[in-house]
Amino acid sequence: MRWLILGATGSLGRAVVAETAARGWTPISAARSGTAHAVDVRDLDALRRVIDDVRPDGIVNCAAIVDLKACEQDPAAAYAVNARPAASLGRWSKQTGRPLIQVSTDQYFAENDGDTPHAEDAPVTLLNEYARSKYAGDAFALTSPQALVARCNMAAARPGRGKASIAAWAFEQLEARAPLTLFT
């Protein structure tokens, strides 16, 4: 099976490419740079050309602006990356009957008791532009019955970006047996 991985050079994208290959499938990496299939997901025509050229059996969309501050400073950019491409991908999935995995977040679900997992139909609280743009992207992707939204709330280390992700920082603290001050 040939999977097109969008955002393949990001933290999550690299992990998805590796896991796809480990399962014996063929990952086809696409990102703004650093891959044979260079594409900026904001350019929907270019995105369509890559999909038409590659003819994947499925798509995993890991492309996103996850920096909350960047999303707040430029809501249009957040929407252009986190939501709008998912509409095109959802249409592709619906038209072809092929699977789409839209990687998303659980950060827009309303608070609960902390011990109960969020239900898919739980109330949402769109506190920021990141949440708004990802929520819209999920809705667009789910216009296809072949789409799955995978909600994540932590990512791997971010080499070359100057700082570790929250997950990498937490692991470092745990390994050092250092105290962790997390969320209230």
Side-chain angles (χ1 to χ4, degrees), residues 25-38:
W25 298 323
T26 303
I28 303 160
S29 298
R32 286 178 295 175
S33 62
T35 67
H37 300 283

mmCIF file with all atom_site columns, all heavy atoms in Angstrom, residues 25-38:
data_model
loop_
_atom_site.group_PDB
_atom_site.id
_atom_site.type_symbol
_atom_site.label_atom_id
_atom_site.label_alt_id
_atom_site.label_comp_id
_atom_site.label_asym_id
_atom_site.label_entity_id
_atom_site.label_seq_id
_atom_site.pdbx_PDB_ins_code
_atom_site.Cartn_x
_atom_site.Cartn_y
_atom_site.Cartn_z
_atom_site.occupancy
_atom_site.B_iso_or_equiv
_atom_site.pdbx_formal_charge
_atom_site.auth_seq_id
_atom_site.auth_comp_id
_atom_site.auth_asym_id
_atom_site.auth_atom_id
_atom_site.pdbx_PDB_model_num
ATOM 1   N N   . TRP A 1 25 ? 4.604  -1.048 4.195  1.00 0.00 ? 25 TRP A N   1
ATOM 2   C CA  . TRP A 1 25 ? 3.931  -0.225 3.196  1.00 0.00 ? 25 TRP A CA  1
ATOM 3   C C   . TRP A 1 25 ? 4.944  0.759  2.610  1.00 0.00 ? 25 TRP A C   1
ATOM 4   O O   . TRP A 1 25 ? 6.053  0.901  3.130  1.00 0.00 ? 25 TRP A O   1
ATOM 5   C CB  . TRP A 1 25 ? 2.759  0.530  3.808  1.00 0.00 ? 25 TRP A CB  1
ATOM 6   C CG  . TRP A 1 25 ? 1.685  -0.360 4.348  1.00 0.00 ? 25 TRP A CG  1
ATOM 7   C CD1 . TRP A 1 25 ? 1.240  -1.536 3.829  1.00 0.00 ? 25 TRP A CD1 1
ATOM 8   C CD2 . TRP A 1 25 ? 0.919  -0.139 5.529  1.00 0.00 ? 25 TRP A CD2 1
ATOM 9   N NE1 . TRP A 1 25 ? 0.230  -2.058 4.599  1.00 0.00 ? 25 TRP A NE1 1
ATOM 10  C CE2 . TRP A 1 25 ? 0.009  -1.218 5.652  1.00 0.00 ? 25 TRP A CE2 1
ATOM 11  C CE3 . TRP A 1 25 ? 0.888  0.865  6.494  1.00 0.00 ? 25 TRP A CE3 1
ATOM 12  C CZ2 . TRP A 1 25 ? -0.900 -1.315 6.689  1.00 0.00 ? 25 TRP A CZ2 1
ATOM 13  C CZ3 . TRP A 1 25 ? -0.024 0.768  7.524  1.00 0.00 ? 25 TRP A CZ3 1
ATOM 14  C CH2 . TRP A 1 25 ? -0.904 -0.317 7.617  1.00 0.00 ? 25 TRP A CH2 1
ATOM 15  N N   . THR A 1 26 ? 4.558  1.450  1.578  1.00 0.00 ? 26 THR A N   1
ATOM 16  C CA  . THR A 1 26 ? 5.441  2.415  0.931  1.00 0.00 ? 26 THR A CA  1
ATOM 17  C C   . THR A 1 26 ? 5.038  3.829  1.324  1.00 0.00 ? 26 THR A C   1
ATOM 18  O O   . THR A 1 26 ? 3.988  4.315  0.901  1.00 0.00 ? 26 THR A O   1
ATOM 19  C CB  . THR A 1 26 ? 5.364  2.262  -0.609 1.00 0.00 ? 26 THR A CB  1
ATOM 20  O OG1 . THR A 1 26 ? 5.694  0.922  -0.945 1.00 0.00 ? 26 THR A OG1 1
ATOM 21  C CG2 . THR A 1 26 ? 6.310  3.233  -1.292 1.00 0.00 ? 26 THR A CG2 1
ATOM 22  N N   . PRO A 1 27 ? 5.874  4.510  2.137  1.00 0.00 ? 27 PRO A N   1
ATOM 23  C CA  . PRO A 1 27 ? 5.584  5.911  2.448  1.00 0.00 ? 27 PRO A CA  1
ATOM 24  C C   . PRO A 1 27 ? 6.110  6.808  1.324  1.00 0.00 ? 27 PRO A C   1
ATOM 25  O O   . PRO A 1 27 ? 7.212  6.617  0.827  1.00 0.00 ? 27 PRO A O   1
ATOM 26  C CB  . PRO A 1 27 ? 6.356  6.150  3.747  1.00 0.00 ? 27 PRO A CB  1
ATOM 27  C CG  . PRO A 1 27 ? 7.499  5.191  3.681  1.00 0.00 ? 27 PRO A CG  1
ATOM 28  C CD  . PRO A 1 27 ? 7.017  3.999  2.894  1.00 0.00 ? 27 PRO A CD  1
ATOM 29  N N   . ILE A 1 28 ? 5.318  7.771  0.931  1.00 0.00 ? 28 ILE A N   1
ATOM 30  C CA  . ILE A 1 28 ? 5.731  8.761  -0.056 1.00 0.00 ? 28 ILE A CA  1
ATOM 31  C C   . ILE A 1 28 ? 5.701  10.104 0.654  1.00 0.00 ? 28 ILE A C   1
ATOM 32  O O   . ILE A 1 28 ? 4.635  10.604 1.019  1.00 0.00 ? 28 ILE A O   1
ATOM 33  C CB  . ILE A 1 28 ? 4.797  8.750  -1.275 1.00 0.00 ? 28 ILE A CB  1
ATOM 34  C CG1 . ILE A 1 28 ? 4.773  7.343  -1.890 1.00 0.00 ? 28 ILE A CG1 1
ATOM 35  C CG2 . ILE A 1 28 ? 5.226  9.794  -2.297 1.00 0.00 ? 28 ILE A CG2 1
ATOM 36  C CD1 . ILE A 1 28 ? 3.583  7.083  -2.759 1.00 0.00 ? 28 ILE A CD1 1
ATOM 37  N N   . SER A 1 29 ? 6.886  10.655 0.890  1.00 0.00 ? 29 SER A N   1
ATOM 38  C CA  . SER A 1 29 ? 7.016  11.869 1.680  1.00 0.00 ? 29 SER A CA  1
ATOM 39  C C   . SER A 1 29 ? 6.742  13.113 0.851  1.00 0.00 ? 29 SER A C   1
ATOM 40  O O   . SER A 1 29 ? 7.246  13.256 -0.259 1.00 0.00 ? 29 SER A O   1
ATOM 41  C CB  . SER A 1 29 ? 8.425  11.968 2.263  1.00 0.00 ? 29 SER A CB  1
ATOM 42  O OG  . SER A 1 29 ? 8.671  10.878 3.125  1.00 0.00 ? 29 SER A OG  1
ATOM 43  N N   . ALA A 1 30 ? 5.971  14.029 1.421  1.00 0.00 ? 30 ALA A N   1
ATOM 44  C CA  . ALA A 1 30 ? 5.708  15.325 0.800  1.00 0.00 ? 30 ALA A CA  1
ATOM 45  C C   . ALA A 1 30 ? 5.740  16.389 1.896  1.00 0.00 ? 30 ALA A C   1
ATOM 46  O O   . ALA A 1 30 ? 5.208  16.188 2.988  1.00 0.00 ? 30 ALA A O   1
ATOM 47  C CB  . ALA A 1 30 ? 4.366  15.331 0.095  1.00 0.00 ? 30 ALA A CB  1
ATOM 48  N N   . ALA A 1 31 ? 6.401  17.489 1.594  1.00 0.00 ? 31 ALA A N   1
ATOM 49  C CA  . ALA A 1 31 ? 6.491  18.619 2.521  1.00 0.00 ? 31 ALA A CA  1
ATOM 50  C C   . ALA A 1 31 ? 6.931  19.841 1.725  1.00 0.00 ? 31 ALA A C   1
ATOM 51  O O   . ALA A 1 31 ? 7.234  19.742 0.531  1.00 0.00 ? 31 ALA A O   1
ATOM 52  C CB  . ALA A 1 31 ? 7.482  18.317 3.646  1.00 0.00 ? 31 ALA A CB  1
ATOM 53  N N   . ARG A 1 32 ? 6.995  20.984 2.396  1.00 0.00 ? 32 ARG A N   1
ATOM 54  C CA  . ARG A 1 32 ? 7.418  22.204 1.697  1.00 0.00 ? 32 ARG A CA  1
ATOM 55  C C   . ARG A 1 32 ? 8.812  22.073 1.122  1.00 0.00 ? 32 ARG A C   1
ATOM 56  O O   . ARG A 1 32 ? 9.099  22.606 0.067  1.00 0.00 ? 32 ARG A O   1
ATOM 57  C CB  . ARG A 1 32 ? 7.371  23.410 2.638  1.00 0.00 ? 32 ARG A CB  1
ATOM 58  C CG  . ARG A 1 32 ? 5.973  23.884 2.926  1.00 0.00 ? 32 ARG A CG  1
ATOM 59  C CD  . ARG A 1 32 ? 5.991  25.016 3.891  1.00 0.00 ? 32 ARG A CD  1
ATOM 60  N NE  . ARG A 1 32 ? 6.519  24.497 5.155  1.00 0.00 ? 32 ARG A NE  1
ATOM 61  C CZ  . ARG A 1 32 ? 6.767  25.209 6.220  1.00 0.00 ? 32 ARG A CZ  1
ATOM 62  N NH1 . ARG A 1 32 ? 6.571  26.499 6.211  1.00 0.00 ? 32 ARG A NH1 1
ATOM 63  N NH2 . ARG A 1 32 ? 7.224  24.649 7.323  1.00 0.00 ? 32 ARG A NH2 1
ATOM 64  N N   . SER A 1 33 ? 9.686  21.368 1.832  1.00 0.00 ? 33 SER A N   1
ATOM 65  C CA  . SER A 1 33 ? 11.051 21.161 1.343  1.00 0.00 ? 33 SER A CA  1
ATOM 66  C C   . SER A 1 33 ? 11.606 19.898 1.972  1.00 0.00 ? 33 SER A C   1
ATOM 67  O O   . SER A 1 33 ? 11.049 19.366 2.925  1.00 0.00 ? 33 SER A O   1
ATOM 68  C CB  . SER A 1 33 ? 11.934 22.364 1.691  1.00 0.00 ? 33 SER A CB  1
ATOM 69  O OG  . SER A 1 33 ? 12.021 22.521 3.095  1.00 0.00 ? 33 SER A OG  1
ATOM 70  N N   . GLY A 1 34 ? 12.714 19.413 1.411  1.00 0.00 ? 34 GLY A N   1
ATOM 71  C CA  . GLY A 1 34 ? 13.386 18.258 1.987  1.00 0.00 ? 34 GLY A CA  1
ATOM 72  C C   . GLY A 1 34 ? 12.848 16.920 1.532  1.00 0.00 ? 34 GLY A C   1
ATOM 73  O O   . GLY A 1 34 ? 13.236 15.889 2.081  1.00 0.00 ? 34 GLY A O   1
ATOM 74  N N   . THR A 1 35 ? 11.942 16.911 0.559  1.00 0.00 ? 35 THR A N   1
ATOM 75  C CA  . THR A 1 35 ? 11.408 15.652 0.041  1.00 0.00 ? 35 THR A CA  1
ATOM 76  C C   . THR A 1 35 ? 11.375 15.715 -1.487 1.00 0.00 ? 35 THR A C   1
ATOM 77  O O   . THR A 1 35 ? 11.456 16.790 -2.080 1.00 0.00 ? 35 THR A O   1
ATOM 78  C CB  . THR A 1 35 ? 9.967  15.381 0.536  1.00 0.00 ? 35 THR A CB  1
ATOM 79  O OG1 . THR A 1 35 ? 9.094  16.358 -0.032 1.00 0.00 ? 35 THR A OG1 1
ATOM 80  C CG2 . THR A 1 35 ? 9.871  15.406 2.047  1.00 0.00 ? 35 THR A CG2 1
ATOM 81  N N   . ALA A 1 36 ? 11.237 14.561 -2.102 1.00 0.00 ? 36 ALA A N   1
ATOM 82  C CA  . ALA A 1 36 ? 11.137 14.509 -3.572 1.00 0.00 ? 36 ALA A CA  1
ATOM 83  C C   . ALA A 1 36 ? 9.852  15.179 -4.050 1.00 0.00 ? 36 ALA A C   1
ATOM 84  O O   . ALA A 1 36 ? 9.783  15.668 -5.173 1.00 0.00 ? 36 ALA A O   1
ATOM 85  C CB  . ALA A 1 36 ? 11.189 13.060 -4.051 1.00 0.00 ? 36 ALA A CB  1
ATOM 86  N N   . HIS A 1 37 ? 8.844  15.197 -3.210 1.00 0.00 ? 37 HIS A N   1
ATOM 87  C CA  . HIS A 1 37 ? 7.558  15.805 -3.567 1.00 0.00 ? 37 HIS A CA  1
ATOM 88  C C   . HIS A 1 37 ? 7.370  17.074 -2.748 1.00 0.00 ? 37 HIS A C   1
ATOM 89  O O   . HIS A 1 37 ? 6.728  17.059 -1.700 1.00 0.00 ? 37 HIS A O   1
ATOM 90  C CB  . HIS A 1 37 ? 6.416  14.818 -3.337 1.00 0.00 ? 37 HIS A CB  1
ATOM 91  C CG  . HIS A 1 37 ? 6.555  13.580 -4.153 1.00 0.00 ? 37 HIS A CG  1
ATOM 92  N ND1 . HIS A 1 37 ? 6.268  13.536 -5.497 1.00 0.00 ? 37 HIS A ND1 1
ATOM 93  C CD2 . HIS A 1 37 ? 6.989  12.346 -3.819 1.00 0.00 ? 37 HIS A CD2 1
ATOM 94  C CE1 . HIS A 1 37 ? 6.504  12.326 -5.953 1.00 0.00 ? 37 HIS A CE1 1
ATOM 95  N NE2 . HIS A 1 37 ? 6.952  11.581 -4.954 1.00 0.00 ? 37 HIS A NE2 1
ATOM 96  N N   . ALA A 1 38 ? 7.951  18.160 -3.234 1.00 0.00 ? 38 ALA A N   1
ATOM 97  C CA  . ALA A 1 38 ? 7.836  19.442 -2.539 1.00 0.00 ? 38 ALA A CA  1
ATOM 98  C C   . ALA A 1 38 ? 6.455  20.034 -2.804 1.00 0.00 ? 38 ALA A C   1
ATOM 99  O O   . ALA A 1 38 ? 6.048  20.194 -3.958 1.00 0.00 ? 38 ALA A O   1
ATOM 100 C CB  . ALA A 1 38 ? 8.932  20.397 -3.004 1.00 0.00 ? 38 ALA A CB  1
#
